[in-house]
Amino acid sequence: MLTTVLIIAAMASTVITRPSQNHLENTFTVENESEEVRSEALKRLLEVFGMEDPPHLRGLQKQPPQYMLDLYNTVADIDGVTKDPDLLEGNTVRSFFDKLHSEQIQFMFNLSNVAKTEKVLTAELHLFKLRPLASLAFNRHHFCQISVYQLLENKQGNTSQGRKLLASRLLPVHSSGWEVFSITQAVRSWMADEGSNLGLLVTVRTLGGSQMDTKLVRFASGRHHHQSKQPMLVLFTDDGRRAASLKSTLTDVGDTPAPPSLPLAPKPAAGHRSARSLDYDEDQQMPCQRLPLYVDFEEIGWSGWIVSPRGYNAYHCKGSCPFPLGQNMRPTNHATVQSIINALKLTKGIETPCCVPDKLFSINLLYFDDDENVVLKQYDDMVAGSCGCH
């Protein structure tokens, strides 16, 4: 008898606690719809940043080159907003590390991640010159001739016919630090014909033209030296993605308008009204103004490949544009006329002007691409600089 009672109790418990089939289906549908919305939203956001998929990094991330960090800090403020649109040539800067790691002063850079449609503006070879070895410190040579060649044949490049001179200059033998050589011609030819990319060769000669001792004049290599001193190609391009709407010209560099302080919320009248009704009334009474709208890349799940910024304040415009429109609302002539027509009820269906951005600023992203190259890219019309009635 006891056994029968326990079985019945267990069955009853199962019936009570088991969620209905409809409940399970509804929960599953809501979760799926939410995931689909998130997936579609992130896909559209990637399109804004000119990408189809987020970069997939392999293993432990490398440190960004100091040059790229310095460049980012030069063109962008702490939130990534462009300080001056004329500081950067083009809208994309890429850094590439040498893939050859040769014992000679010979380099190879993989440019396959650069789209064919991008316009190559400037290409630079960055080499770190090391100090001479101590045993050779008192060598009679004080200057050397450094020449950079584009290799035209798949050989050692020792013959003049198999290479093309790109840049040449005199350097003090005992100096050390970064040296930059223009190699724009070579990169343009590589972009036109990927198979022509056979790399670069650097020669070091005395002022008399003879071969210089390689222990006297040395450049850091990816094989033997720290990553911070590796040979690097820096490429400045323009991908053609320029602003199609408002031009974001910042007249006073660094003088980005601060968001105005929020007005005191009006006290609700007596009676019961829904939250949506209160929000609507507040929007109508609050004058058009710029309010914060923070985009957090960590929340989105992009912090693994974006170096800087960690997020940025896009701001948004909110509020009403009541008649009469004052100059503090930055109205256009069209908005002023529309406001008058609305107030006089001369035409049915004419709404009051809308509170929208009337100045937009660009932001800069510093990030790793699929090949672990570091890219600095500028995106137009990303931050509402000010709001007005339009």
Side-chain angles (χ1 to χ4, degrees):
M1 181 65 181
L2 180 60
T3 304
T4 304
V5 172
L6 290 175
I7 292 173
I8 293 172
M11 291 175 64
S13 174
T14 303
V15 172
I16 294 170
T17 60
R18 180 186 297 167
S20 69
Q21 185 65 27
N22 286 341
H23 175 76
L24 288 174
E25 288 177 357
N26 290 339
T27 303
F28 180 76
T29 302
V30 169
E31 288 178 354
N32 269 10
E33 286 179 354
S34 177
E35 189 59 36
E36 284 178 10
V37 169
R38 175 181 172 81
S39 177
E40 182 63 25
L42 292 182
K43 181 181 177 182
R44 295 298 298 273
L45 188 57
L46 280 170
E47 288 175 4
V48 171
F49 290 111
M51 303 177 190
E52 292 183 2
D53 299 295
H56 299 287
L57 303 183
R58 301 176 298 276
L60 185 64
Q61 273 186 196
K62 299 179 180 178
Q63 287 297 315
Q66 189 61 46
Y67 174 83
M68 297 298 289
L69 292 171
D70 292 342
L71 184 61
Y72 173 84
N73 290 326
T74 298
V75 302
D77 67 13
I78 192 170
D79 292 319
V81 179
T82 303
K83 294 178 181 177
D84 181 347
D86 297 324
L87 283 175
L88 194 63
E89 185 180 12
N91 62 3
T92 308
V93 186
R94 287 184 172 87
S95 59
F96 304 86
F97 285 126
D98 171 45
K99 298 295 185 182
L100 201 57
H101 304 303
S102 172
E103 290 290 351
Q104 300 183 31
I105 316 178
Q106 193 170 335
F107 311 103
M108 176 76 76
F109 301 95
N110 181 4
L111 307 181
S112 60
N113 278 357
V114 184
K116 297 289 185 183
T117 54
E118 291 191 36
K119 182 181 179 182
V120 175
L121 303 173
T122 303
E124 301 172 343
L125 175 65
H126 291 224
L127 299 178
F128 190 87
K129 187 175 179 297
L130 302 165
R131 291 190 182 279
L133 296 176
S135 59
L136 300 171
F138 299 101
N139 191 284
R140 60 189 179 88
H141 297 290
H142 297 286
F143 288 90
C144 59
Q145 183 82 30
I146 308 295
S147 300
V148 181
Y149 293 90
Q150 175 187 355
L151 293 178
L152 305 176
E153 295 179 1
N154 201 7
K155 299 178 181 179
Q156 292 299 322
N158 293 324
T159 62
S160 58
Q161 292 81 6
R163 62 196 189 190
K164 177 183 178 181
L165 181 63
L166 299 173
S168 186
R169 78 164 70 108
L170 293 178
L171 291 180
V173 169
H174 298 282
S175 67
S176 67
W178 286 101
E179 299 293 341
V180 179
F181 302 88
S182 175
I183 57 169
T184 307
Q185 293 179 25
V187 172
R188 284 177 178 166
S189 68
W190 295 342
M191 292 299 298
D193 177 13
E194 189 176 341
S196 67
N197 184 359
L198 303 177
L200 303 169
L201 176 72
V202 176
T203 63
V204 183
R205 298 189 177 278
T206 65
L207 298 187
S210 59
Q211 188 74 31
M212 180 76 78
D213 189 337
T214 55
K215 293 181 180 179
L216 184 61
V217 177
R218 304 177 301 140
F219 290 98
S221 68
R223 182 187 291 266
H224 300 297
H225 301 95
H226 190 267
Q227 181 184 331
S228 63
K229 297 179 181 178
Q230 282 191 40
M232 183 172 64
L233 186 156
V234 178
L235 181 60
F236 294 79
T237 67
D238 196 307
D239 64 5
R241 291 168 54 91
R242 285 304 181 185
S245 53
L246 300 177
K247 291 298 178 184
S248 53
T249 304
L250 201 57
T251 51
D252 296 322
V253 176
D255 190 22
T256 304
S261 56
L262 292 174
L264 293 175
K267 294 182 179 179
H272 299 285
R273 287 183 293 172
S274 66
R276 180 177 297 179
S277 175
L278 287 174
D279 288 343
Y280 179 78
D281 288 350
E282 286 176 7
D283 289 351
Q284 292 302 305
Q285 295 181 43
M286 181 177 69
C288 176
Q289 58 189 272
R290 189 179 77 149
L291 301 175
L293 173 61
Y294 191 75
V295 180
D296 191 328
F297 293 133
E298 187 170 358
E299 273 190 11
I300 294 172
W302 289 2
S303 59
W305 55 274
I306 292 181
V307 178
S308 288
R310 291 301 181 188
Y312 76 100
N313 205 334
Y315 294 101
H316 73 289
C317 298
K318 187 176 182 180
S320 63
C321 296
F323 177 84
L325 294 179
Q327 287 304 309
N328 62 315
M329 295 184 182
R330 305 165 66 93
T332 60
N333 287 338
H334 180 275
T336 300
V337 172
Q338 181 175 330
S339 176
I340 294 170
I341 298 299
N342 171 268
L344 295 178
K345 309 297 183 187
L346 297 179
T347 305
K348 288 183 179 180
I350 301 301
E351 302 291 337
T352 58
C354 297
C355 179
V356 296
D358 62 359
K359 182 178 288 186
L360 295 166
F361 301 143
S362 61
I363 66 164
N364 301 265
L365 281 192
L366 189 69
Y367 64 91
F368 287 95
D369 66 12
D370 281 320
D371 204 26
E372 295 189 350
N373 301 312
V374 175
V375 182
L376 169 62
K377 203 168 184 68
Q378 200 169 88
Y379 298 92
D380 290 329
D381 296 353
M382 298 295 288
V383 175
S386 60
C387 298
C389 294
H390 287 205

